[in-house]
Amino acid sequence: MSPEITGLRPLPHVERYTPLGPHLAVSPTVSVVVPAMNEAENLPHVFATLPTWVHEVVLVDGHSTDDTVEVARRLRPGLRIVHQTGRGKGDALAAGFAACTGDIIVMIDADGSTDGREIIHFVSALVSGADFAKGSRYVPGGGSDDLTVTRRAGNSVLRTIVNTLYRTRYTDLCYGYNAFWARHLPALDLDCEGFEVETLMNIRAARAGLRVHEVPSHERCRIHGESNLRAIRDGLRVLRTIVREWRRRNAAPAPLPQPATADQGAA
């Protein structure tokens, strides 16, 4: 059963409204961050799913050797390009987030595994009172075409550790489809390089006492190319991140307003 929603933060007062459909409008602006390295073949599929009402799309190029940037510019005039100086997904997202100008930031993958048409569910959760909208493949309505037995088992073990240490009730931990109010970016304070970034964001959202809402999401298989994810190598990086954050918390404990829990289901 989902916890009772109390003490929701007031939404920012703005006078602009972006239509999402014939009967629905939203006032906050939405930035979509897409980290990409050699994803030229996949970008047409990814961009085709993005809603027309997003405020901006920020593509972070991770030293691509193909024509990723050229394809992106051709597909979406007005696209913002950020050239990553470091390496890894975490570093790319930090650079992309810093370049955003929207009230809401959404992060999706460039390989076609995340569907931009689901963005409306993440935005709905945020404007309904959540601070952080977290995609989950394990709540009703979610799923995955790409989870191997090894990845599923690793996610389960790591999720259990985080839920135990931080008193959260996350159903998914290592998933790259998330959205949050830009004003909470300092609380997330990304300082990692690799695929452990999703776990780090979930932990720091909990430590900051942010209101987390889980949104059902369906992960699809990569369309073209091979993933840079390596289950064992990156699983160990995630575990080290969990341990590091726990040690930091014990070294300098800070009182939280309330334990962060995940409200399951889309708004």
Side-chain angles (χ1 to χ4, degrees):
M1 182 175 67
S2 299
E4 182 181 358
I5 298 178
T6 59
L8 298 183
R9 295 163 174 77
L11 298 178
H13 175 72
V14 290
E15 297 181 353
R16 59 183 184 275
Y17 291 91
T18 302
L20 308 187
H23 306 294
L24 181 65
V26 64
S27 58
T29 52
V30 178
S31 298
V32 178
V33 177
V34 188
M37 184 176 70
N38 297 330
E39 300 286 6
E41 288 187 282
N42 291 320
L43 288 182
H45 304 276
V46 175
F47 284 4
T49 69
L50 296 179
T52 58
W53 45 262
V54 298
H55 166 64
E56 66 181 352
V57 177
V58 178
L59 184 130
V60 185
D61 178 51
H63 311 283
S64 296
T65 56
D66 67 358
D67 54 349
T68 289
V69 173
E70 291 74 15
V71 169
R73 283 178 171 151
R74 184 169 66 249
L75 290 171
R76 196 171 184 98
L79 177 81
R80 300 192 65 190
I81 301 290
V82 174
H83 294 282
Q84 183 180 358
T85 57
R87 295 282 180 180
K89 185 177 183 180
D91 180 82
L93 286 173
F97 294 165
C100 289
T101 62
D103 302 309
I104 289 173
I105 298 176
V106 182
M107 51 187 273
I108 66 172
D109 291 331
D111 59 3
S113 62
T114 49
D115 189 345
R117 288 167 291 199
E118 294 180 355
I119 289 176
I120 190 171
H121 302 304
F122 289 82
V123 172
S124 295
L126 293 173
V127 299
S128 296
D131 298 311
F132 189 97
K134 177 181 175 307
S136 175
R137 296 162 290 185
Y138 295 100
V139 294
S144 176
D145 302 327
D146 194 41
L147 272 176
T148 63
V149 173
T150 300
R151 288 179 60 203
R152 191 181 296 272
N155 194 358
S156 177
V157 170
L158 295 168
R159 182 188 69 239
T160 299
I161 294 173
V162 168
N163 284 342
T164 300
L165 293 178
Y166 293 95
R167 296 185 298 152
T168 54
R169 290 188 289 172
Y170 295 147
T171 65
D172 204 346
L173 186 69
C174 307
Y175 188 43
Y177 207 158
N178 300 289
F180 56 92
W181 290 100
R183 64 178 179 266
H184 295 310
L185 189 55
L188 302 178
D189 187 28
L190 301 188
D191 56 359
C192 65
E193 295 183 351
F195 288 99
E196 68 274 15
V197 62
E198 293 99 354
T199 297
L200 181 66
M201 294 176 70
N202 293 332
I203 290 175
R204 290 190 175 170
R207 288 180 58 186
L210 301 186
R211 183 90 181 159
V212 179
H213 184 106
E214 287 196 328
V215 176
S217 178
H218 191 98
E219 179 187 35
R220 291 162 174 77
C221 293
R222 164 181 281 274
I223 300 173
H224 299 288
E226 295 184 1
S227 174
N228 293 315
L229 177 67
R230 298 294 180 266
I232 296 178
R233 177 200 66 187
D234 293 307
L236 290 175
R237 289 183 67 130
V238 170
L239 181 58
R240 286 195 293 268
T241 297
I242 295 171
V243 172
R244 182 193 69 186
E245 291 300 301
W246 181 249
R247 286 175 175 171
R248 284 183 177 179
R249 172 183 174 175
N250 290 339
L256 300 178
Q258 60 182 9
T261 57
D263 298 332
Q264 297 180 8

